[in-house]
Amino acid sequence: MYKVHYLNKISPKGTQLLTEDYKTVEAMDEADAVLVRSAAMHDMQFSKELKAIARAGAGVNNIPLDRCAEEGIVVFNTPGANANAVKELAICGMLLGSRDVVGGIRWVQTIKDEGDVSKKVEKGKSQFAGNEILGKKLGVIGLGAIGGPLANAAINLGMEVYGFDPFISINAAWHLDSHIIPVNSREEIYENCDIITVHVPLLEGTKHMINAETLAMMKDGVILLNFARDKLVDDDALEAALKSGKVKRYITDFPNDKTAGMEGVVAIPHLGASTEEAEDNCAMMAVRQVVDYLENGNIKNSVNFPACDMGPCAKPGRIVALHRNIPNTIGRFTTTMAGYNINISDMVNRSKGEYACTMFDLDEPTPAGVAAALEKLEGVLRVRVIR
């Protein structure tokens, strides 16, 4: 019986995937796995029982990844599960940036009690006139789960689309519309496009990628969209660009103390993934990943350990070892298991930075004492006996 604890409300579409082999527990200390959305976990202490944490969403800033790795706790997220929701809001963002819909709505509220509203509307609507997106040049920086489908959708809307992504996967590239114009640098996007949207992770190399220098490269009256991460944009440089007219409008899903009241900013309260469908998809994906890890030892979409997959557990024995990525670990594993007269029928070893995972399928059920012996080896963080 596996025990699961929910730190946030998780969609029933996900929780109903758990079989009678799973039990929901109120105490986190009893849990084999935790499902979480936005609850902050950095100050939490984890029990020895906890094997996995699954974030029903993409961002994992609320989880202490390094500490989890050191304690042999696999942290999962659900990349792509909410991609369509974010893509659709980004399309909305392009329209909000091109046409002053928000300003017009606010103005109607100021005249709603004055009488003759329809006449006032006809007289005053010209101040909110905007532009169509048909034929405009859209630059998409990052062509992954969100940026790629957004670029395809923009082609269908009649836009001229430029795409930049030096790390694009083969699978993502196959799904791009052939009319998307690939470019070799962000600078080509900055210099050529009427609307620019960023869909990249927040890393040292991307923090404040939109700054005074890059803003100066852009067309006058450019529209910027940020549905990725707040700190991709330098707020001080943005404010100056909005005041000068270099930037026509900034649409962000990440309001902060500065941008929330900034003239020319449409600040959306982080609604990118806030759809019923996205919450359902994230919950189902998170639950399936946890189940596969608990029952088979397979790791998919972990943010602190490598992907490692041997499929359903069909052999009499299976061992999963989480360890540091140091030399001769495999040799120490096999030597130790040889002392128990174990025959290894198959093995997979994968690494990711400082950490690694090794899985062994055995021709007989795992003998008692093997896991404890393996955990004593240098660099080993946790050993799980699946069978």
Side-chain angles (χ1 to χ4, degrees):
M1 177 70 68
Y2 297 107
K3 298 177 181 179
V4 181
H5 176 75
Y6 307 129
L7 274 175
N8 297 107
K9 183 180 178 182
I10 303 297
S11 166
K13 289 285 185 72
T15 58
Q16 70 185 12
L17 297 176
L18 297 173
T19 66
E20 64 272 10
D21 294 326
Y22 291 80
K23 176 184 177 182
T24 301
V25 293
E26 293 297 323
M28 182 172 158
D29 287 349
E30 301 176 15
D32 296 290
V34 166
L35 296 179
V36 61
R37 290 173 60 195
S38 58
M41 302 186 70
H42 285 277
D43 294 331
M44 295 181 179
Q45 298 300 311
F46 306 129
S47 77
K48 298 289 186 182
E49 299 300 318
L50 187 60
K51 303 169 182 66
I53 297 171
R55 161 79 165 95
V60 289
N61 294 339
N62 57 321
I63 304 171
L65 303 181
D66 292 342
R67 180 156 60 90
C68 286
E70 286 297 315
E71 295 182 28
I73 300 168
V74 180
V75 179
F76 298 92
N77 69 344
T78 57
N82 57 19
N84 187 68
V86 180
K87 178 203 78 174
E88 289 185 2
L89 193 62
I91 293 172
C92 175
M94 285 195 290
L95 297 171
L96 294 177
S98 299
R99 305 181 68 171
D100 192 9
V101 177
V102 174
I105 291 171
R106 288 172 179 163
W107 175 70
V108 169
Q109 293 305 303
T110 68
I111 65 168
K112 62 185 174 65
D113 298 321
E114 296 179 1
D116 290 329
V117 170
S118 59
K119 289 183 179 180
K120 287 185 172 66
V121 164
E122 291 305 316
K123 186 177 180 179
K125 66 182 182 181
S126 60
Q127 63 187 303
F128 306 105
N131 300 100
E132 298 177 14
I133 62 174
L134 180 68
K136 298 298 186 296
K137 294 180 179 180
L138 172 68
V140 183
I141 300 175
L143 295 164
I146 297 168
L150 174 61
N152 291 341
I155 289 289
N156 293 330
L157 290 171
M159 304 184 78
E160 185 177 336
V161 181
Y162 294 74
F164 172 72
D165 191 335
F167 307 109
I168 189 169
S169 68
I170 293 174
N171 185 60
W174 280 343
H175 288 86
L176 289 180
D177 190 294
S178 61
H179 295 92
I180 295 168
I181 302 167
V183 298
N184 295 317
S185 69
R186 298 177 193 164
E187 287 71 23
E188 291 182 69
I189 297 284
Y190 299 148
E191 294 167 359
N192 289 290
C193 295
D194 306 298
I195 304 173
I196 297 173
T197 182
V198 292
H199 299 279
V200 299
L202 179 61
L203 306 169
E204 277 303 313
T206 59
K207 183 178 180 181
H208 289 177
M209 60 182 281
I210 306 296
N211 53 47
E213 181 181 356
T214 55
L215 285 164
M217 301 177 191
M218 298 179 190
K219 290 183 174 183
D220 291 343
V222 69
I223 295 168
L224 298 179
L225 309 179
N226 181 5
F227 290 86
R229 285 291 181 267
D230 181 28
K231 295 188 183 300
L232 297 174
V233 178
D234 182 331
D235 293 337
D236 292 332
L238 171 70
E239 185 175 36
L242 284 164
K243 287 179 178 178
S244 71
K246 169 63 74 172
V247 175
K248 175 183 178 182
R249 200 162 283 122
Y250 175 56
I251 317 298
T252 179
D253 203 25
F254 308 96
N256 58 41
D257 291 347
K258 191 173 184 70
T259 58
M262 195 181 291
E263 188 70 25
V265 173
V266 176
I268 301 169
H270 202 183
L271 298 180
S274 294
T275 67
E276 291 183 13
E277 294 86 350
E279 290 182 8
D280 291 345
N281 291 338
C282 288
M284 290 188 289
M285 188 172 181
V287 168
R288 289 186 177 118
Q289 290 170 172
V290 163
V291 167
D292 196 18
Y293 178 63
L294 292 179
E295 297 183 7
N296 299 303
N298 296 322
I299 299 177
K300 300 174 185 175
N301 294 320
S302 171
V303 291
N304 62 345
F305 281 99
C308 199
D309 189 350
M310 292 186 73
C313 186
K315 290 288 186 177
R318 175 174 288 183
I319 299 172
V320 179
L322 303 175
H323 54 95
R324 293 188 181 87
N325 186 21
I326 57 178
N328 201 33
T329 299
I330 304 302
R332 287 190 285 270
F333 282 154
T334 55
T335 298
T336 299
M337 287 192 283
Y340 285 82
N341 199 31
I342 295 173
N343 186 52
I344 300 170
S345 63
D346 200 1
M347 182 192 80
V348 172
N349 170 258
R350 297 288 184 268
S351 63
K352 181 178 183 178
E354 297 179 42
Y355 300 102
C357 175
T358 305
M359 301 177 67
F360 299 95
D361 271 353
L362 314 178
D363 284 335
E364 60 186 78
T366 303
V370 171
L374 294 175
E375 284 191 336
K376 292 178 182 178
L377 299 176
E378 179 188 0
V380 176
L381 302 167
R382 176 174 293 197
V383 176
R384 293 186 56 224
V385 175
I386 305 300
R387 283 188 181 177

